Amino acid sequence: MLFSSCESFLDREPLDQVSQATFWKTPEQLDAYIMGKYSWLPGDFGAWGMGYLVQDQNSDDMVVGLNHPAWMNGENNTTPVSGGNWNWGAIREINMFFDNYTLCESPFSSYEQTYGEACFLKAYKYHELVQNFGDVPWYSSVISDTDEELLNKARDPRSLVVDSIMGLIDQAVDHLQLRSVVGVNRLNKETALIYKSRVALFEATWAKYHAGTPSASDVDPDTYFKKAIEAYTQFKQLCGGFEGKLYSTGNPDTDYYNLFNRFDYADIQEVTLSKKYSRALGIPNNLNVQVWSYGYYNCSYTLDLIQSYLSKSGQSVDITNSSVIPGKGCDYLLNLANTLDPRYRQIVFTPGDLINSVTAGFIDSLFTVPQIHLSEAARNTTTGFSPKKSHNPEGPIINQSDPLVSGIGFRVSELLLNYVEAYVELHGAFPDLSDNIDLIRKRVGMPTLTEVKPVVEKWWPDYGYPISDNLAIIRQERRVELAGEGLRSNDWKRWRAHKLFDGKRPRGFRFDQSDYDKIGVQPNVQLDEEGYIDPYKVSLNGGGFHFKPERDYLSPIPLNELLINPNLKQNPGWDSPK
C-alpha cells in the first residue's frame, strides 16, 4: 500500500478544517482521503515490530518470553476511566466521507472504486468494535456536538450492527474492482469476499457457542453460516474460481515457506491484499532482523500447536509419545520434521536450515540449535520451536535494509477454510473438498482430505464441549494452515474455547543440554517432569491459566463514557460508575 504522495496531500490541512465547499469536489480528493485510511488495514508489521505475525501470543499457539499474558489469566481486572478500545475516531472519519462524497462533481463511475473502499473500511473498523464490546451504537453519519439524541444513544443490538456491517461488505463486493485491475496493494473484490466470509463465520460461531452466556449474541447463526458459504460461491462466480489461485511452483517442500517471505506479492494470486515495504520509499520494517537476531520478537510456537500437525501420510500422530517421535533437543526437532506434515518444517526452524545468504557475518550460516540461551532473554525463542514464517535468507540482517518482506493482509486459503467450517457447522458433513481443502493440501504434497480422513484421537484439543469429528478435523486443518498469522486468538474466542488453555500451561520442545554443551552454554530454562520446556512455570507459580469467561470475552466500556452517556450499559462483570 504505497500512499506517501496521498499522505502529503492530506497533511496540508486537517480535513475537519477544510471548507466543505472546496473539498470533496473531485475523484482525486475522495481517493486521497480514503488512501489516508489504509493504515487501518491488516498486513502491517510496523517500522520495528512484527505485527500480525506475533498476535497469536494471546492464544494456545504462541508464547512470548517468560511472562504469561495477563488477560489470559484473568488479571486485567481494572475498568479504565477513559481510553481503552472504545475509540470512535475512525468511525467519525469514515462517516465524514459518506456524508460528503455526493458533493463530487464527477460521475459515480469515476470514484466507484473509492466508494467501495470506504464501505470496506467502515465495515472493518465497526467489526473491530463489535469484536471488543459486542453491542455498540450504530452511527450512519458524523454526530454534531449539539445532537443530544445521538450523543446519548444506547447500544444497538449486535444483530442490527452486524447486518449493517454485512450490508457495507456487500456494497464493497459490488463496487470494488478485481485484483487484476487495481493490483495487490489496493482493496479489491477478492479481498472483500474473503472478509465477508471471515465476518460471517465469526458472527455465526460466536452466536452459536456463546448462547446462554454473558457474552451472548442475538445474531442468527444459520443465517451467517449461509453468508460465509455465499462468499465462497460468489468468489467462484465473480473472481474466476480457485484454479491457479494458490501459490505453487511445484515444490511441496518449499512453496508454503516461500509464500510468506516475498518482497513483493504482485504476481502471487493467493495474496489478495498486501502492504509493500521499502526503505527507499520511506515505508520501512525491520522484519529481516527481528526474525533472527531478536528471536521473532521473543515469540515462539507451543508444543500444543505442533501436536496439531498430522503425519505426512495424513494420520494423527502423538508427538509426546517418545516411542513414536524419539529423541530430545535437535534430534527431536529433526524427527518431527521427518514425520509431520511438510508445513511444520516450513514454519519452524530445523537444524540445517539456511539462515542468511547475503549479510556479512551470516553468509551461508545454518541453524544449529534453538535460540534459548542468549543472556538477553528478550532475544530468545523460549519454547525451542523457533518460528520462521516470513523468514527470507536473501533479506539483509541489517536494520530496515532493502529488500524488505511485504505484509499479507488477506489470502485465498482463509476463504476456503472458512467455507468448509461453515458448511460443516450447517450440514454436519463435509462439502466437496476438491476445490478447497484438497487444494491446500496438494500444495505441500499431503494426501487430500478426500482420500484420507484422520482418526480424531484422545490427544486432540479439548474445547470444553463435545464437537463432531468432522468439525474437529476442519478446526485442526485451519490451525495448521493459518498458524502464526494472527487469527488464532479470534478463533478460540468465537468458539468460546478458553478450555484450550484454561487450567494448563503451554510447553515447548524436549530439551537436551548436550546440544548446548557443544557451544559451551547452559540455557536458563524451566522443564516439566517429562523434560519439556515449561516457559511459564515460574510466571504462573507452577499452576495453569485462570481465564475469567463470564467477564473477559468482552471488553469494558470506560467509566467516563458511562458518565457522559447514561444510556450506555456496562458489559457483564466490569465496574460501572458508583
Side-chain angles (χ1 to χ4, degrees), residues 185-218:
N185 302 129
R186 291 293 295 253
L187 285 165
N188 49 61
K189 198 177 297 291
E190 290 92 335
T191 296
L193 286 166
I194 297 170
Y195 187 56
K196 176 176 179 174
S197 76
R198 180 188 292 184
V199 171
L201 184 61
F202 185 96
E203 290 303 321
T205 47
W206 187 288
K208 176 177 178 177
Y209 293 105
H210 287 255
T213 74
S215 47
S217 164
D218 66 334

Side-chain angles (χ1 to χ4, degrees), residues 296-308:
Y296 216 81
Y297 220 59
N298 205 200
C299 292
S300 50
Y301 297 137
T302 63
L303 180 69
D304 196 64
L305 168 61
I306 310 308
Q307 178 73 85
S308 296

Side-chain angles (χ1 to χ4, degrees), residues 28 37 56 116 123 163 207 312 350 386 455 504 511 536 551:
E28 292 76 19
K37 316 306 175 196
D56 283 345
D163 286 349
K312 289 180 177 178
T350 301
S386 308
V455 175
K504 306 169 188 175
F511 176 70
Y536 294 160
R551 183 192 68 193

Side-chain angles (χ1 to χ4, degrees), residues 276-508:
K276 172 70 176 175
Y277 281 94
S278 167
R279 182 179 181 86
L281 293 172
I283 312 171
N285 69 46
N286 206 37
L287 207 66
N288 296 333
V289 174
Q290 292 289 356
V291 168
W292 181 248
S293 295
Y294 283 86
Y296 216 81
Y297 220 59
N298 205 200
C299 292
S300 50
Y301 297 137
T302 63
L303 180 69
D304 196 64
L305 168 61
I306 310 308
Q307 178 73 85
S308 296
Y309 287 76
L310 301 172
S311 70
K312 289 180 177 178
S313 62
Q315 297 292 353
S316 299
V317 54
D318 184 2
I319 66 169
T320 65
N321 186 332
S322 59
S323 65
V324 176
I325 308 289
K328 298 189 298 182
C330 290
D331 287 342
Y332 183 56
L333 294 176
L334 286 165
N335 289 333
L336 288 170
N338 292 330
T339 303
L340 299 180
D341 178 330
R343 284 173 288 191
Y344 163 77
R345 181 162 194 163
Q346 293 179 63
I347 72 160
V348 176
F349 274 111
T350 301
D353 284 349
L354 176 65
I355 294 172
N356 198 258
S357 59
V358 298
T359 309
F362 291 96
I363 292 176
D364 296 332
S365 56
L366 303 179
F367 182 87
T368 55
V369 294
Q371 195 164 282
I372 59 176
H373 59 283
L374 299 183
S375 57
E376 189 178 341
R379 293 189 179 213
N380 287 329
T381 50
T382 50
T383 67
F385 293 117
S386 308
K388 64 176 181 182
K389 211 163 202 177
S390 78
H391 169 256
N392 189 322
E394 297 178 4
I397 307 180
I398 302 170
N399 284 341
Q400 297 185 331
S401 295
D402 290 332
L404 297 168
V405 172
S406 290
I408 297 176
F410 290 87
R411 65 184 183 100
V412 173
S413 289
E414 184 195 344
L415 173 64
L416 308 185
L417 292 158
N418 292 347
Y419 163 69
V420 177
E421 184 181 339
Y423 192 98
V424 173
E425 286 279 12
L426 201 58
H427 301 290
F430 284 117
D432 177 1
L433 298 167
S434 60
D435 60 356
N436 42 76
I437 303 298
D438 288 354
L439 289 178
I440 291 172
R441 286 187 165 206
K442 284 179 180 178
R443 184 211 328 255
V444 295
M446 282 284 286
T448 67
L449 189 54
T450 299
E451 296 168 334
V452 179
K453 290 185 174 61
V455 175
V456 177
E457 301 282 4
K458 62 182 180 181
W459 60 78
W460 281 49
D462 173 13
Y463 295 97
Y465 49 82
I467 60 173
S468 70
D469 284 1
N470 285 349
L471 199 52
I473 289 168
I474 180 56
R475 285 188 180 186
Q476 290 294 80
E477 196 71 32
R478 177 184 185 85
R479 187 181 194 183
V480 167
E481 175 66 20
L482 302 178
E485 295 179 48
L487 299 176
R488 181 66 175 179
S489 296
N490 275 340
D491 281 348
W492 72 255
K493 285 190 280 187
R494 66 185 174 89
W495 295 331
R496 203 173 190 273
H498 54 277
K499 287 297 182 183
L500 289 168
F501 60 86
D502 194 41
K504 306 169 188 175
R505 290 197 307 273
R507 296 194 290 172

